[in-house]
Amino acid sequence: MSAKEKSIKPQHNKMLNATQGLKNIMGRHFLAIEQAYRDGKPTAWATSGSPVEMLYAMDVQPMLPENSATVSAAQKYSQNFIELAEAEGFSYDLCSYFKTNVGAVLSNAGMAEGGTRKPSFMLSTDVICDTHVNWFQVQAERFNVPHYSIDVPHVVSNTTNRQYNYFKNYITEQLYEFIDFMQEVTGHEYNEENARQVSENSWNLSKVWQDIYELRKCIPCPISTRDTFGGLFPLFTMPGLKEPIKLYKRMYKEAKMRVDEGIGALEKEDFRLMFEGIPFWYNLKYFGQLERWNAIIVYEPYTYAFSKYMNPKVTKEMVLNKPIEAMSELMLSFWYVYDLETRIKKFEETVKDWSIDGVLLHNNLSCRPNSCGMYDLKRHLMDDYDIPCLIIDADMNDPRKLNETQTLNQIESFIEILRQRKKT
Ligand code: SF4
């Protein structure tokens, strides 16, 4: 075998080689932001869950402060920024992404520290949480820039078709109004062909990500959270660009090679877990400790949710021909707006499809929308479906709220329970 053949042979090297390319892609995203400033191109802050595709379609450079907040956490700046925000009067219990952003702006932090530049305007939506809207209200006032917010009603189990259609039209109207808003602020015209191209890229990006998740059903699982926690960023910062599609295709190809060779991300896989919630960005290595028990996380609803094209009513044809209407449907069916009943059903299906032994639920002390109903979710999964669950108290960006040793002890006991179940 030649040296070249040896180097491409799949191995248990935990992280895919392709995922290493993520740093370059994200680096280029930040460079594009700098370039936009140099060229005087319009820029916008956007919250996750908002239609970032529409910004790309209007040639506006997006910046996602949540993404920047994770950079702060990874670089160990988030606690400092959070404490600065608290010194300004923002409560200990508020969202730590928000407080990281407040502290980063107050400190005039550079992008490498998770700072963000003053945008031409801000775009938020309450599709995931009200914090997004309030956060941008605070910051738009501080920067004195316009702020457009999209209100998204929540579909629940007894929502009627009539109500659903009303919601859809309500969002569609707001999206068309948002185009008017952008035309006024930026002077750019809406171009249908651009919108179609961006929508196609966004669709393709998401579909490859979903294909990668299909491979994670295989035993052993070819991909761990080393690839997915960071790998998710292009989905919400760059939906509409071609570049990340190539990266995801490379990840898929390499993972498929592992599957074909029967190679997993771990050398030995004894326990397959689901992790619900946002990871601890300040300590991603923490999740690597599961490997001491040959345990691997094979599915995360959070990282999967951002592949957004999950509603069977939203076909590729619709996305290409009616991108705005398709976006309204997608905003109504975003994973995180599911009511408890639908969430339980989705979890139950996922546990079966991905052959999951147990579920770790992150009771995120920052993110109440994500943690709301978690104890009910746990009770139903355990009592009605016999799915073992463990709730972990922590925070995605505030290291003060994770008790590392205590949590690890809890996980160890949980794994012991899973081990005993396997024996019986
Ligand atoms: S972490 Fe939770 S509360 Fe904070 S912005 Fe995200 S969804 Fe909203």
Side-chain angles (χ1 to χ4, degrees):
M1 190 185 287
S2 70
K4 193 175 171 203
E5 276 169 328
K6 255 188 202 165
S7 70
I8 57 168
K9 191 171 170 10
Q11 297 165 346
H12 303 282
N13 55 359
K14 295 171 185 163
M15 185 189 261
L16 298 173
N17 292 325
T19 309
Q20 314 283 350
L22 187 70
K23 259 194 196 148
N24 293 339
I25 293 240
M26 290 310 294
R28 282 203 277 277
H29 169 65
F30 290 116
L31 280 178
I33 294 172
E34 293 290 4
Q35 188 66 40
Y37 277 94
R38 277 198 291 272
D39 298 348
K41 180 178 160 177
T43 54
W45 279 18
T47 54
S48 60
S50 62
V52 172
E53 288 85 348
M54 291 178 71
L55 299 173
Y56 279 116
M58 291 285 283
D59 201 20
V60 173
Q61 175 61 48
M63 299 184 272
L64 281 92
E66 282 149 278
N67 178 232
S68 300
T70 67
V71 173
S72 298
Q75 302 299 326
K76 314 290 178 209
Y77 292 114
S78 60
Q79 183 171 333
N80 182 21
F81 292 154
I82 289 166
E83 285 170 353
L84 275 174
E86 286 170 357
E88 272 241 318
F90 293 108
S91 148
Y92 181 80
D93 298 314
L94 283 175
C95 167
S96 57
Y97 276 165
F98 162 63
K99 287 187 291 181
T100 301
N101 178 251
V102 167
V105 169
L106 283 173
S107 326
N108 213 7
M111 268 194 272
E113 298 156 353
T116 33
R117 303 277 220 121
K118 176 182 174 178
S120 314
F121 66 90
M122 296 191 189
L123 166 68
S124 70
T125 160
D126 57 6
V127 63
I128 301 179
C129 71
D130 292 335
T131 301
H132 279 147
V133 180
N134 296 332
W135 170 353
F136 278 19
Q137 266 168 357
V138 167
Q139 296 294 52
E141 215 168 279
R142 191 178 297 242
F143 280 121
N144 192 23
V145 296
H147 170 207
Y148 191 90
S149 193
I150 303 165
D151 179 36
V152 178
H154 281 199
V155 175
V156 291
S157 47
N158 60 356
T159 300
T160 63
N161 279 345
R162 187 179 57 78
Q163 285 167 322
Y164 184 89
N165 287 330
Y166 175 77
F167 292 169
K168 199 169 79 181
N169 293 337
Y170 173 58
I171 300 170
T172 303
E173 275 310 309
Q174 293 179 75
L175 295 182
Y176 279 114
E177 196 184 78
F178 176 51
I179 292 174
D180 295 341
F181 168 90
M182 282 195 285
Q183 290 188 156
E184 202 181 310
V185 175
T186 66
H188 292 184
E189 288 297 318
Y190 180 68
N191 176 316
E192 282 225 345
E193 196 36 51
N194 268 359
R196 218 184 319 277
Q197 186 57 60
V198 164
S199 302
E200 184 170 14
N201 290 342
S202 170
W203 168 278
N204 289 338
L205 182 70
S206 296
K207 288 296 162 186
V208 189
W209 189 249
Q210 290 174 8
D211 289 344
I212 292 172
Y213 273 66
E214 284 301 305
L215 292 178
R216 298 180 87 192
K217 286 179 178 171
C218 298
I219 301 175
C221 178
I223 292 185
S224 73
T225 52
R226 288 172 205 264
D227 299 291
T228 55
F229 279 161
L232 115 118
F233 291 131
L235 281 173
F236 69 100
T237 55
M238 288 176 268
L241 300 190
K242 278 212 164 77
E243 220 180 345
I245 305 173
K246 287 187 208 149
L247 172 79
Y248 283 7
K249 281 190 175 165
R250 283 201 298 277
M251 287 173 71
Y252 177 85
K253 199 169 154 198
E254 203 181 327
K256 179 75 171 56
M257 277 166 74
R258 283 190 180 177
V259 169
D260 292 344
E261 304 257 344
I263 288 175
L266 301 192
E267 212 153 332
K268 192 166 184 299
E269 178 182 299
D270 288 336
F271 303 103
R272 296 170 62 87
L273 306 174
M274 185 204 284
F275 178 80
E276 160 66 330
I278 311 177
F280 323 140
W281 298 116
Y282 45 87
N283 192 356
L284 285 182
K285 284 197 178 131
Y286 193 79
F287 295 90
Q289 300 189 69
L290 291 169
E291 290 164 21
R292 65 173 77 165
W293 302 293
N294 300 325
I296 180 168
I297 294 169
V298 299
Y299 188 96
E300 314 88 41
Y302 171 70
T303 53
Y304 191 70
F306 285 95
S307 69
K308 73 162 91 88
Y309 296 91
M310 286 176 257
N311 181 342
K313 286 192 225 161
V314 181
T315 59
K316 185 166 187 181
E317 197 193 2
M318 181 182 182
V319 168
L320 296 188
N321 296 327
K322 293 189 164 188
I324 302 296
E325 286 73 8
M327 188 55 74
S328 310
E329 289 262 14
L330 291 170
M331 291 182 87
L332 274 176
S333 51
F334 190 71
W335 221 107
Y336 273 90
V337 302
Y338 288 167
D339 59 301
L340 182 64
E341 206 176 307
T342 316
R343 209 169 169 203
I344 293 166
K345 196 167 150 273
K346 285 273 171 200
F347 268 67
E348 195 256 329
E349 286 167 8
T350 306
V351 164
K352 261 196 207 127
D353 293 346
W354 271 262
S355 313
I356 287 166
D357 299 304
V359 179
L360 300 176
L361 299 161
H362 177 193
N363 181 30
N364 191 335
L365 300 173
S366 249
C367 182
R368 300 328 292 163
N370 187 221
S371 307
C372 181
M374 199 160 259
Y375 280 89
D376 288 327
L377 176 68
K378 179 187 175 196
R379 186 167 51 80
H380 281 286
L381 292 177
M382 291 185 72
D383 295 353
D384 303 343
Y385 299 102
D386 192 30
I387 298 170
C389 298
L390 174 71
I391 292 188
I392 298 167
D393 289 333
D395 189 291
M396 75 277 176
N397 243 40
D398 189 344
R400 298 172 301 177
K401 295 179 184 170
L402 169 67
N403 185 327
E404 293 189 19
T405 312
Q406 189 188 55
T407 306
L408 208 60
N409 287 342
Q410 287 174 322
I411 294 175
E412 185 171 20
S413 308
F414 183 62
I415 296 281
E416 200 43 49
I417 291 169
L418 300 185
R419 195 186 310 281
Q420 293 308 323
R421 280 172 64 97
K422 280 193 181 242
K423 280 186 190 159
T424 54

